[in-house]
Amino acid sequence: MTISARDIDHLSLTLTDPASAAAALQQLGFALTPEEVEPRCICFQPDQDDVPNYIELLQGDPARVALALNVSDLEGEERSHAWETEDGFEIDAQVVVGADDGPLPWFPVRHETPDAFMEPEWIVHPNGALGLIAIHAVADNPRELAKALRTAWSARSEEIFDGCVMVRAGSVELLIWAPAAYQQEYKALEVMTPDQLPAVVGLTVAVERARPLQALLRANNVPFAVAEGDRVLVACEQAAGLMIEFVPQN
């Protein structure tokens, strides 16, 4: 499949127990859309008004992580979601979803109501999160995977350094690591790479400041590590199965 991707719209997590994942992410200071509605979402202020920026938690088996690529035109399955705000207003979300593709799991989406994911009460987070700025994947051959995705998404790619290639269609980057390079970059967490590759392994979130985030994590008894540039790293065991890197903007 070849598309004209505008951006990585969101990260889709299919989990056997999304409620537990939501609870773990709340311990990290994320605000989520209301309970008992699928999907639960972590929403951020988007870079473009018509391209949302969020993470969705879905119920399903087997578990998987997939990238949703925003496109302007798409025919596919229509999905409807509705959330109720604290003021009692019902917010409807209409999303058209296309067929899955690979080699790294991804699918195209078109939003008919992108503002549904931009309600102020959902994009303001206790941990100071501002936006999803990068997704991390590991592959045996990052260059080969980057070439395949660049072609499929009509995107661009750039080799950041030996063992890490970036693919970008908009504001959210996909960083594809070789196993050794990924383990070296995040050695403070002693990260392990999955047995089945390629796979999404983590994400980078922009936050306002590092110290308030660290204080929140300590208050919630969440272990973390600090890396160069005041980056705050949380291991996958505390973050719904994905390593999370918080990058302060101030």
Side-chain angles (χ1 to χ4, degrees), residues 150-203:
R150 182 186 68 217
T151 300
W153 300 349
S154 303
R156 58 190 183 278
S157 65
E158 176 184 350
E159 186 162 349
I160 305 301
F161 50 80
D162 187 29
C164 182
V165 182
M166 180 267 290
V167 179
R168 188 170 186 171
S171 61
V172 180
E173 299 175 347
L174 173 64
L175 298 176
I176 306 173
W177 301 84
Y182 174 64
Q183 291 175 329
Q184 176 62 28
E185 179 69 16
Y186 296 101
K187 61 184 177 181
L189 293 179
E190 299 182 354
V191 294
M192 302 295 292
T193 57
D195 295 331
Q196 299 294 322
L197 298 178
V200 174
V201 294
L203 51 100

Side-chain angles (χ1 to χ4, degrees), residues 26-198:
Q26 286 174 321
Q27 288 293 302
L28 302 185
F30 289 110
L32 281 82
T33 51
E35 296 181 29
E36 300 179 0
V37 177
E38 188 178 5
R40 299 291 302 278
C41 296
I42 300 174
C43 303
F44 304 104
Q45 179 66 49
D47 186 57
Q48 302 179 57
D49 290 340
D50 59 344
V51 180
N53 185 250
Y54 64 100
I55 302 166
E56 68 175 2
L57 309 180
L58 299 168
Q59 172 77 50
D61 191 16
R64 75 161 196 158
V65 182
L67 305 176
L69 276 294
N70 188 285
V71 297
S72 299
D73 298 304
L74 179 67
E75 293 184 0
E77 177 191 354
E78 295 185 2
R79 298 180 184 176
S80 298
H81 314 298
W83 301 283
E84 188 173 294
T85 68
E86 293 179 354
D87 297 329
F89 293 103
E90 188 169 283
I91 306 297
D92 294 313
Q94 307 293 329
V95 185
V96 177
V97 179
D100 290 4
D101 208 335
L104 189 70
W106 68 271
F107 56 92
V109 297
R110 175 174 62 83
H111 286 273
E112 298 182 353
T113 54
D115 55 330
F117 298 90
M118 304 174 194
E119 288 294 310
E121 65 189 88
W122 300 329
I123 64 174
V124 177
H125 301 277
N127 60 15
L130 301 172
L132 175 62
I133 59 176
I135 295 170
H136 302 267
V138 174
D140 289 323
N141 191 328
R143 291 178 181 173
E144 183 178 295
L145 177 58
K147 181 179 179 181
L149 295 178
R150 182 186 68 217
T151 300
W153 300 349
S154 303
R156 58 190 183 278
S157 65
E158 176 184 350
E159 186 162 349
I160 305 301
F161 50 80
D162 187 29
C164 182
V165 182
M166 180 267 290
V167 179
R168 188 170 186 171
S171 61
V172 180
E173 299 175 347
L174 173 64
L175 298 176
I176 306 173
W177 301 84
Y182 174 64
Q183 291 175 329
Q184 176 62 28
E185 179 69 16
Y186 296 101
K187 61 184 177 181
L189 293 179
E190 299 182 354
V191 294
M192 302 295 292
T193 57
D195 295 331
Q196 299 294 322
L197 298 178

